[in-house]
């Protein structure tokens, strides 16, 4: 895709597990052969169970996780192109300015010994992006206002703020270097529901105002449905389905996606028991099953699934699904589509 802000090709991320006296040590494949494009200016959602490799994929796009195989290319709105796996020391410093991370836990992400002003200003000072202290202060006040922080709060320490306010501080720190690409890793998971909505609305407004590209990692499908322009579903290190959110929730084309959607809590008492049960837990990425990785838990699994690994293929309705029998999967019921879907 020519207008992609992030292009991922055949990406694999491996970790060696300990040492052994005989032969090679076992290898954990946290990401196993992913090809994906994140369009410029999009709010791209990545969902899946814990242990599916979502965070590793996001960290790899930021050069914070090792790229064992494949290539990641990040293109900025300023005409710069970065080959993430081949950054030298100087290029990496410049890349850090253009690509930033919003952490999950706003309580652990902020130093308790620094004021809010110093926390937000630290990237500017470390990267030497401003010529004077006055210029740093002006930039800090500007980004604090965009993130709905009061100027008088800049002298306080993080312990004086609520979880939502701390997350706004984390967002301001990520945006102060004027980046193009942001990875938001479960950035609202630790917040109350009402605060989640406020932070999500803030992120969407910042995306529109600043022309940012977001990779939004989450396990909460309702949040992804409300926020994202496009959604990719990940299982055991692989992308198993991608589609716009409304289409994904209305007609999931992979059994795993369908099971995730059916498990979304509903206030309708008639929907009790609607969730599809998946037996067993996600297999270990150090010892993945042969064929389709999902066949050990899939209610539709057949002999072909145990032998042949399905490709992520484009279907007639615009989905991309990695399932041999996607056409046989019946559409989801209307109750499975969250009412908050806007995409």
């Amino acid at each position: 895709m020519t207008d992609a802000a992030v292009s991922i090709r055949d990406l694999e991320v491996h970790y060696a597990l300990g040492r052994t006296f005989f032969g090679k040590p076992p290898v954990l494949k946290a990401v196993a052969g992913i090809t994906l494009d994140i369009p410029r200016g999009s709010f791209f959602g990545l969902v899946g169970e814990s242990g599916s490799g979502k965070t590793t994929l996001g960290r790899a796009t930021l050069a914070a996780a090792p790229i064992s195989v494949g290539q990641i290319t990040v293109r900025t709105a300023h005409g710069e192109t970065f080959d993430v796996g081949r950054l030298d020391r100087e290029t990496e410093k410049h890349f850090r300015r253009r690509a930033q991370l919003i952490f999950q836990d706003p309580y652990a992400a902020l130093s308790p010994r620094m004021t809010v002003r110093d926390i937000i200003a630290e990237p500017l000072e470390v990267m030497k992006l401003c010529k004077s202290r006055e210029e740093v202060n002006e930039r800090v006040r500007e980004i604090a206002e965009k993130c709905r922080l009061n100027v008088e709060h800049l002298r306080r320490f993080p312990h004086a703020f609520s979880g939502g306010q701390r997350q706004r501080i984390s967002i301001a720190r990520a945006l102060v270097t004027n980046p193009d690409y942001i990875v938001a890793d479960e950035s609202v998971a630790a917040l109350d529901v009402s605060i989640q909505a406020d932070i999500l609305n803030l992120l969407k407004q910042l995306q529109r105002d600043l022309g940012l590209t977001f990779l939004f990692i989450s396990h909460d499908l309702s949040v992804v449905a409300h926020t994202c322009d496009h959604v990719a579903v990940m299982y055991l290190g692989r992308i198993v389905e991608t589609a716009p959110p409304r289409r994904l929730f209305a007609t999931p084309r992979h059994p795993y996606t369908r099971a995730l959607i059916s498990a979304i809590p509903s206030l309708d008492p008639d929907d009790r028991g609607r969730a599809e049960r998946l037996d067993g837990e996600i297999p270990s990425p150090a010892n993945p099953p042969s064929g389709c990785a999902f066949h050990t838990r899939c209610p539709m699994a057949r002999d072909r699934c145990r032998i042949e690994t399905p490709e992520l293929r484009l279907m007639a309705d615009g989905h991309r699904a990695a399932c041999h029998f996607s056409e046989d999967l019946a559409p989801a019921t209307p109750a499975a589509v969250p009412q908050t879907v806007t995409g």
Side-chain angles (χ1 to χ4, degrees):
M1 182 184 294
T2 57
D3 62 340
V6 182
S7 297
I8 303 169
R9 294 292 178 269
D10 302 317
L11 177 67
E12 295 188 12
V13 177
H14 302 168
Y15 295 100
L17 300 179
R19 297 180 180 179
T20 179
F21 292 104
F22 305 99
K24 295 182 179 180
V27 173
L28 184 150
K29 292 187 177 181
V31 176
I34 286 181
T35 295
L36 188 68
D37 287 315
I38 302 176
R40 185 179 311 283
S42 67
F43 212 103
F44 195 97
L46 184 63
V47 300
E49 291 174 288
S50 297
S52 61
K54 307 185 301 297
T55 295
T56 302
L57 176 58
R59 288 169 58 87
T61 65
L62 296 175
I67 298 176
S68 304
V69 179
Q71 184 179 31
I72 300 175
T73 304
V74 176
R75 303 177 183 87
T76 73
H78 300 79
E80 303 154 318
T81 300
F82 297 95
D83 186 344
V84 176
R86 294 183 174 88
L87 298 175
D88 57 37
R89 189 168 183 177
E90 289 301 318
T91 307
E92 184 176 2
K93 289 181 180 179
H94 194 61
F95 175 70
R96 296 293 176 208
R97 177 181 179 182
R98 300 302 185 195
Q100 288 287 327
L101 173 67
I102 301 173
F103 293 95
Q104 174 179 351
D105 187 356
Y107 293 90
L110 306 178
S111 172
R113 295 178 177 85
M114 298 174 68
T115 64
V116 172
R117 181 267 174 201
D118 291 340
I119 289 172
I120 299 176
E122 186 177 25
L124 296 175
E125 295 169 345
V126 170
M127 299 181 188
K128 300 179 181 179
L129 300 180
C130 296
K131 298 179 181 179
S132 64
R133 184 177 178 85
E134 290 73 19
E135 188 176 347
V136 171
N137 290 336
E138 181 180 354
R139 176 59 181 163
V140 169
R141 287 193 294 268
E142 177 187 354
I143 200 64
E145 183 178 355
K146 288 182 181 295
C147 295
R148 305 173 190 169
L149 292 167
N150 294 329
V151 176
E152 57 266 24
H153 291 167
L154 296 177
R155 300 193 203 122
R156 300 182 185 177
F157 290 87
H159 72 268
F161 298 94
S162 66
Q165 290 172 316
R166 293 189 193 195
Q167 195 61 291
R168 285 196 288 271
I169 295 169
S170 295
I171 295 170
R173 180 179 59 185
L175 297 182
V176 74
T177 62
N178 193 28
D180 294 284
Y181 172 56
I182 302 289
V183 175
D185 186 9
E186 301 276 11
S187 55
V188 298
L191 306 177
D192 294 337
V193 175
S194 59
I195 305 301
Q196 284 186 13
D198 180 61
I199 296 299
L200 290 172
N201 290 334
L202 172 61
L203 292 178
K204 289 292 288 184
Q205 180 180 343
L206 290 169
Q207 180 217 3
R208 292 190 296 266
D209 294 347
L210 303 178
L212 301 172
T213 301
F214 272 88
L215 175 61
F216 185 79
I217 300 171
S218 179
H219 65 272
D220 190 333
L221 283 169
S222 298
V223 169
V224 170
H226 176 67
T227 310
C228 297
D229 310 315
H230 205 88
V231 183
V233 182
M234 198 166 177
Y235 182 81
L236 203 64
R238 298 180 180 274
I239 300 296
V240 297
E241 185 169 5
T242 68
R246 181 175 294 278
R247 193 179 302 157
L248 182 82
F249 282 88
T251 55
R253 290 299 181 183
H254 195 282
Y256 178 62
T257 308
R258 183 183 175 93
L260 291 179
I261 293 173
S262 72
I264 297 175
S266 174
L267 297 177
D268 188 349
D270 294 333
D271 284 344
R272 291 179 181 175
R274 178 175 56 86
E276 296 184 10
R277 179 177 176 178
L278 294 179
D279 294 328
E281 297 182 357
I282 185 171
S284 169
N287 186 26
S290 61
C292 176
F294 187 59
H295 84 258
T296 58
R297 306 170 69 192
C298 180
M300 296 177 56
R302 305 175 193 175
D303 291 340
R304 180 184 179 187
C305 303
R306 298 176 179 88
I307 302 172
E308 183 180 343
T309 302
E311 297 293 330
L312 187 67
R313 56 192 175 90
L314 180 63
M315 305 180 65
D317 58 0
H319 279 65
R320 290 186 182 273
C323 178
H324 297 305
F325 309 105
S326 294
E327 289 83 0
D328 300 337
L329 193 64
T333 60
V337 184
Q339 296 181 358
T340 54
V341 174
T342 57

